[in-house]
Amino acid sequence: MLGRQVEAVLLLWLSCCVLAVWRYSMKSTIYSIFSTRSSIILEYEGDTFKSWDIPEGCKVQNKSSPKTLLYCKTPGNHKISPININDMQEDERLLTVDSSNICFLWYYTVVDVFFNLSQIITIWVYDPENASPEELQWTAKEPSVNSMVLTKQMNTLGQYPVIYTLEKGLKYDPGPLTPDGTWIIHLPMTSDDIIKQIRDTTGNILVKMENNDLFYIKDGIAEIVPLSRWVNTTAETALVLDKSFQVNILHYNQNLDEKYQLHLQSYPLVLELQSKNKGLEDMCPYLTFQHDVHSQFYHLDKGDSLTVWTQIVYPENRGLDILVDYYGSNILTWTQNTEYEIASGFCTKSMITRFFQTTNYESVKNYYDLEKKNTGLTLIKIRPSEYTRTCPTVIPVFEISVGCDPTKYIQVQGFNNTRCHRRDFSYVIDKELLRDSPHENLKVRYEVAKYGCPRTVDMEEMFHPVVELYDENGFIKIVDANFILWEVHGRNDYMYNSTMQQNGCINEAQTWDIMIEENPGVPMEDIWGPQNYRPCFSYAIGTPGDLSQPYEIINYSNKNALKWSSSYAAMYVYRLKVLDPNYSFCNLTTYFAIESLGQIPRSSIYLVAALVFVLMLTFISVLVLSYFWYSKIYRRFIIEPLHKPPGKQKKN
């Protein structure tokens, strides 16, 4: 039905013939300030112009000039139209002029710093009516004198800019105002924080035909609005969005020099819509509709929830509601808390909607199937129960992805693989200390890049791991869920300092020995995990047993700790895994290493005796050799010269 209506309107519109075009503009390319302070430029394009038809609340600089300045000192809706040489009134527009006291706009420049992947944003404020030509054309590198004064005045009043990122909703504040009258904000240059692509997030659709006719369509409204002609039918144009998501018309003229062939012209879409909407009877049924949805995409893991605030203000006799439209997998539950306030004939309805999951993954037989069933993508739309195309507010539409966030990871507090400056090394583990009891000792290589720097613990010192959760933006929180660990090379010469009974177990808890026996031939990383975890705190789960056994499950609050033998030094490489089935869709694991010093081992008496014998034999051998060496020297240089007969002396 909507397709037929679009086709009919477009064909009807194309059958008309327009001889001339007129438009308006401001000194600034941003139309957010269109008030009684604004100098409005009127421009007529054609050969049939005679004069301007101006209402009493406005004054034109030259009524008979096709290009002139208009000043409206009275706020409101003003009918403006040109009169042609046949005294016929041409396309009429309703210009909405505000009485706002706001007289400034934000100006900013961006410098990319690639060596540390950041951006330097320089910000100041400017008054379009008193700005420099460079500021009006957005080519300025520094504020003008008037803008510097205005910026310093705002800073003195405690006003300053704040940047919120679209994807993650992060907040960045500026530093102190510089002597040049600017604020500086440093932003990280990441794919989620910086806008990389243009998306249609407003639900507004603007259609341009080949003859430059413009049509407006609003999401959810089966009505098409033909807009007033803005450019000539023969002009070569295209619609583009600038970095502020404002609509612009790009003009191309091949008859000009190459430098001037492309020209960008801002298009006041909101003002043009207001010009068409003023005569409609189906005015917007509410005054305002607000929300705190700042992103198109949200990620929910197990235990997470998303809270959305919305508020609508409407005449109390309309009885409007806030509705939630849900599309996609039926994997989320939501609750709504609504508050009402009526004053001066208007009703303010505020609603908080919380999205979450209620699935319990503990002690289920089909863990992985249940996870798969409860992951997916949903589309949420929160809207008023009634709205028309005259409503300017954006209806929030966003996606919620339920599943593993691939940017999440864990690490043990105090361990950081990126700050280790040691080199790889090798060591040998005695076969008697290995779980599988092999026939030979095990030589292993310690990979610093994989395991990080080991932490050294003294003799009799115990260690309670504290696990931290991170994502690409940094630290999130301390992991308060149960986790397990094992020595990756098969060592079993470490202990836990508390028993099952001390940790409140009612039935016998799971242990590595039990899980290995129940899962023969399965790799250690798959033997025990969220898929087969059974708690020991319920009579209905598990069986009675010896509760004096060590409790091999650790969490942040139970203070269960590792301890090692104090009779020898050793190296341990552990892998840690989050065990709680209701904590995350991700398989959260990490490595850490412990170097236990222990005591210097006492040597064997046989080894000592052998060492003493070798030392004594060496000492005696040295003495004997020394005796013969010095005897030889003594005979040659002392004994033999004494027994040698004196030789004859020559006469002079």
Side-chain angles (χ1 to χ4, degrees), residues 152-313:
K152 291 183 177 181
Q153 289 177 344
M154 288 193 61
N155 186 73
T156 302
L157 296 174
Q159 304 296 314
Y160 58 89
V162 175
I163 294 180
Y164 289 92
T165 61
L166 294 180
E167 294 295 331
K168 294 293 184 179
L170 301 178
K171 176 185 176 184
Y172 296 93
D173 295 310
L177 190 72
T178 67
D180 296 332
T182 62
W183 291 284
I184 306 294
I185 298 180
H186 295 269
L187 292 180
M189 192 187 300
T190 66
S191 60
D192 287 331
D193 290 336
I194 308 302
I195 302 170
K196 298 294 185 183
Q197 57 183 339
I198 296 175
R199 298 178 180 177
D200 183 10
T201 61
T202 63
N204 296 323
I205 302 173
L206 190 61
V207 179
K208 187 190 81 70
M209 309 301 292
E210 288 189 6
N211 66 345
N212 292 322
D213 287 333
L214 296 176
F215 299 89
Y216 172 78
I217 305 171
K218 191 175 185 66
D219 179 32
I221 304 298
E223 185 180 4
I224 302 163
V225 182
L227 299 175
S228 297
R229 179 172 291 277
W230 192 260
V231 294
N232 195 284
T233 57
T234 60
E236 297 185 52
T237 63
L239 294 177
V240 296
L241 296 179
D242 62 16
K243 56 188 175 183
S244 300
F245 295 102
Q246 302 299 316
V247 178
N248 286 258
I249 298 179
L250 182 64
H251 296 256
Y252 173 71
N253 190 340
Q254 62 180 357
N255 297 323
L256 299 177
D257 292 338
E258 184 176 352
K259 183 179 179 181
Y260 303 102
Q261 285 181 352
L262 292 177
H263 170 65
L264 197 64
Q265 182 185 37
S266 59
Y267 179 72
L269 176 59
V270 174
L271 292 175
E272 287 294 275
L273 286 174
Q274 289 176 347
S275 176
K276 293 295 181 179
N277 291 339
K278 294 304 179 182
L280 298 177
E281 297 180 357
D282 58 336
M283 301 302 293
C284 187
Y286 53 84
L287 274 71
T288 63
F289 178 69
Q290 303 179 42
H291 57 85
D292 64 351
V293 177
H294 302 298
S295 176
Q296 285 186 304
F297 185 83
Y298 295 92
H299 206 119
L300 290 187
D301 204 345
K302 293 177 183 177
D304 292 344
S305 64
L306 174 65
T307 301
V308 177
W309 171 86
T310 49
Q311 184 183 78
I312 186 170
V313 179

Side-chain angles (χ1 to χ4, degrees), residues 25-27 35-41 69-71 129:
S25 60
M26 299 172 54
K27 291 183 177 180
S35 66
T36 54
R37 294 184 69 253
S38 303
S39 303
I40 304 171
I41 304 171
L69 289 179
L70 174 71
Y71 302 92
E129 297 298 320

Side-chain angles (χ1 to χ4, degrees), residues 98-117:
D98 295 329
S99 60
S100 174
N101 294 322
I102 297 176
C103 62
F104 68 89
L105 295 171
W106 296 109
Y107 192 99
Y108 62 91
T109 63
V110 181
V111 176
D112 295 328
V113 184
F114 294 103
F115 79 90
N116 63 356
L117 294 180

Side-chain angles (χ1 to χ4, degrees), residues 14-28:
L14 288 172
S15 65
C16 298
C17 184
V18 179
L19 299 178
V21 176
W22 77 276
R23 51 186 169 263
Y24 55 92
S25 60
M26 299 172 54
K27 291 183 177 180
S28 172

